[in-house]
Amino acid sequence: MMYRAEQLYQLIPQRPPIVMVDVVWSATETEAETGLTVTADNIFVRNGHFREPGLIEHIAQSAAAFAGCGTFLRGEEPKLGFIGEIKDCVLNMLPEVGTQLRTHIQLVTEVNGIRLISAETRIEGEMVASCIMKIFLKDDE
Amino acid sequence: MMSDYFSILQCESEDSLSGIIRIQLNPDCRVYQGHFPKEPVSPGVCNIEMIRCCAEYIHHHPIRIQKIKQCKLTALMTPQITPQANVTISLQENEQGVYRLTASICEGETTYMTLKADVADE
């Protein structure tokens, strides 16, 4: 199942101006493919380049959308997710406005609502960023 | 880029490699419209960017983050609960123009973020 643009609002709790994923190409129980086209009005663009916080937020929201696919299929609201830890994060380049990022998210482990994911972001096959991220999903009270 | 996320109130720094910066978060920054509606939480990535800006301020030169070895987000930060905080910066030159940045965001007894990163002059 593919999700685009505002359909993604069913998967992630973030809203403009900090929505940093615009497509989920596919998602399974253990992995997902997401994307983002960098537009000039993106809040993390400076001097025509998508800066470090934008890349990291794109990965975090890709992981959120991946988690959201599961809750959406169960008919639940997306849970708030918070980054707990970022490790081994390599930022090879700062993408230009107009490029499309494609990100592969892999679930490494999930214990008590804490998800460990690994992510790789590419532009036309070329590695842009990679990292390991620990994400806490907040349960509804 | 969001230039109104925070402002610098005070800077104690004796060289261009280390210092402590007192910052104030801006609750009216538009990032809170989306993070999250009805529940403003300071985005972790904006705090990483705030650390990078503080490091630039002390270093007197633009820098870029190349690698994050480890970044721990140890407490939720909001402009309501934590309007001000201290950002501690330490840069150690590894090779020409490349530095190991060690930084934290703290207020009182609470540590909100610790960061170890490799940064380079831009």
Side-chain angles (χ1 to χ4, degrees), chain B residues 5-70:
Chain B
Y5 179 69
F6 75 104
S7 50
I8 290 176
L9 299 176
Q10 198 185 334
C11 175
E12 285 176 37
S13 173
E14 296 190 348
D15 54 34
S16 63
L17 293 173
S18 64
I20 299 174
I21 290 186
R22 184 82 181 149
I23 61 92
Q24 179 161 327
L25 292 176
N26 174 15
D28 299 320
C29 179
R30 67 194 177 104
V31 75
Y32 296 111
Q33 292 168 14
H35 199 281
F36 298 94
K38 288 179 254 166
E39 192 171 344
V41 175
S42 304
V45 299
C46 292
N47 286 341
I48 292 173
E49 174 67 6
M50 181 166 73
I51 287 174
R52 194 195 63 80
C53 291
C54 288
E56 266 184 3
Y57 188 86
I58 282 171
H59 191 49
H60 307 296
H61 195 283
I63 53 173
R64 195 201 126 178
I65 299 174
Q66 294 182 319
K67 280 183 193 162
I68 295 176
K69 289 282 183 196
Q70 188 181 49

Side-chain angles (χ1 to χ4, degrees), chain A residues 123-136:
Chain A
I123 295 173
E124 293 174 1
E126 192 180 353
M127 188 75 81
V128 174
S130 59
C131 80
I132 305 279
M133 212 176 263
K134 196 185 276 182
I135 291 167
F136 298 88

